[in-house]
Amino acid sequence: MYFLIIISTVCILFAYLASRDEFPFGLELCFLIIALVAAIRYNYGNDYSSYQEIFDFISNREFTWDFVRRNVYFHDPGWTTLCFLFRPLGFFSLVAFLSVVQNIIYYLFVKLCVPKNWWVLGVFIYLFCTDLYVLNMSMMRQGFAVSLFVLAFLLIRKRNQFFFPIAFVLVFLAAQMHASAFILYPCLLVALIKKEWARYLTIPLLVVLVMFFLKPDLVNDFLLMFDDVDNIKEYKKYYEIGNSRGFSLGVAWRLLPFFVSCFCCVFVKDYREDEVKIIFLSMLGYIMIPFSLAIPMIGRLCFFFTPFMIASVPLVYEKISDPWKKILLTLFMMNTLYGYWSFFHSPTWAESYYNYRTLVEYLF
C-alpha cells in the first residue's frame, strides 16, 4: 500500500507541475510511471491468480473459432481470443499490454476532458479512487472493458457521426470481454445529448435514485429480471446477497458528489455540450448504488461509469463559489482517502492488495 501511495504522490506532483507549465511533459511522465508500475505487477489482487490459471488453461487448448464462439473454453469469447493471441508471449505480456493500453486511454481522457488547472484532481481521483487504478490491476477483463467504453466516449463526445460506428464496435468488443458491458449500448446515445437538456435529464435521475431508496422493494423486483447478469453466482465466494436498504448517513456521504452534480446541472448554464455528457455519465454510476446495497455484486456495474468522475468532479466543483468550493472539495478528498485506507484494511481485500508485488519477486 505504501509503495502505491509514494508512486501516486510523485505522479500527482508531476501533474501539478504540468498544469502550471513548469514541466511540459509532466502529465505524460505521470502516466508513463503509472503504466509501468501496473505492467510489472505479479500476483497482485484477488483475481490475478485466477486469470493466470484461465490463461494457462486456454493456452493449452486447440484454437478454433467455433470453440471460441460457443464459449467452450471460457464464457467470454473476447477474453478467450485475447488469451490465444498472447499465448506465444505468455501471461505477463498480456498483463503489460492491458496496463499500457488502459493507461494510454486514461491519459487521453485526462488530457482532453479535464481542465488543465484541474489535472491534479483528475489524477488524484484516478489513483486514489480504488474502483479505478487499483482494482483495474485485478479485474482485468472488466477493467479493459471499462477503458474501451471510455475510449468510445472520447470518439463520440463531439457528436462526430463518422466515429459513432467505431464507438459501437468498441462497446461490442467490451461486451465480448465482459458480458455486463451489454448495458453500455444504450449509453452511446449520450452522443445525442445537448447542453440545454442538462436540467431535464438531471431531475429524472434524482427522482429515480430517491424512489429506489424510499421503496427498496422496487430494487429487488427490478433485479429479479437480471438475476444471471455477469455470472453473479460465480462471485458468491466474495459477496453475499443482502437486503436493500434505505438512506443512511454513510450512503448520503457517498452520494454527496451526485447531489453537487445535480445542483450544478440545474442551476449552472455555461457548461459545454461535451461537459454535460461527462457529468451525465458519471451520475449514472450513482443510480447503481441502491442495487449494490441489495446485491453487492451489482456494484461492479458502477465501474463502467466511475471513470467519468475523473473529469466530472473538476467540472462540477470549479463552478461552485468559495467558500463552498473549498469545503466540498475537502469533504470529497477526505471521503476518497478514507475509502482508500478502508479498502487496504478490509478483510476482503487486504491480503491480496496490501503488499504490492512485482515481477522482481517472481524472477528472483
Side-chain angles (χ1 to χ4, degrees), residues 249-265:
L249 184 60
V251 172
W253 180 259
R254 288 175 61 189
L255 289 172
L256 181 60
F258 174 81
F259 294 125
V260 175
S261 298
C262 289
F263 175 84
C264 289
C265 283

Side-chain angles (χ1 to χ4, degrees), residues 100-150:
V100 171
V101 170
Q102 289 177 38
N103 283 288
I104 288 175
I105 293 172
Y106 283 110
Y107 158 73
L108 292 173
F109 185 69
V110 172
K111 183 87 170 180
L112 298 174
C113 298
V114 179
K116 187 174 182 179
N117 58 318
W118 289 86
W119 280 354
V120 173
L121 182 58
V123 173
F124 169 84
I125 294 171
Y126 178 56
L127 294 175
F128 283 99
C129 177
T130 53
D131 290 352
L132 295 169
Y133 181 62
V134 174
L135 272 184
N136 282 345
M137 292 195 233
S138 177
M139 56 174 201
M140 298 183 199
R141 284 187 303 123
Q142 188 170 8
F144 189 40
V146 171
S147 66
L148 290 177
F149 179 53
V150 173

Side-chain angles (χ1 to χ4, degrees), residues 251-309:
V251 172
W253 180 259
R254 288 175 61 189
L255 289 172
L256 181 60
F258 174 81
F259 294 125
V260 175
S261 298
C262 289
F263 175 84
C264 289
C265 283
V266 172
F267 295 104
V268 178
K269 300 180 180 180
D270 59 343
Y271 285 116
R272 299 195 314 268
E273 191 171 278
D274 60 317
E275 294 175 341
V276 170
K277 296 171 185 177
I278 291 171
I279 296 171
F280 179 74
L281 284 173
S282 71
M283 292 169 68
L284 288 179
Y286 291 98
I287 301 298
M288 301 291 177
I289 291 179
F291 300 103
S292 66
L293 295 177
I295 299 179
M297 185 61 207
I298 297 296
R300 293 177 71 98
L301 299 181
C302 297
F303 297 154
F304 289 112
F305 307 102
T306 303
F308 297 96
M309 287 180 57

Side-chain angles (χ1 to χ4, degrees), residues 145-175:
V146 171
S147 66
L148 290 177
F149 179 53
V150 173
L151 181 58
F153 171 78
L154 291 175
L155 294 175
I156 65 175
R157 68 191 182 99
K158 294 295 186 180
R159 300 186 70 181
N160 190 319
Q161 296 180 355
F162 174 77
F163 288 126
F164 192 85
I166 301 176
F168 186 89
V169 170
L170 288 172
V171 171
F172 172 78
L173 292 175

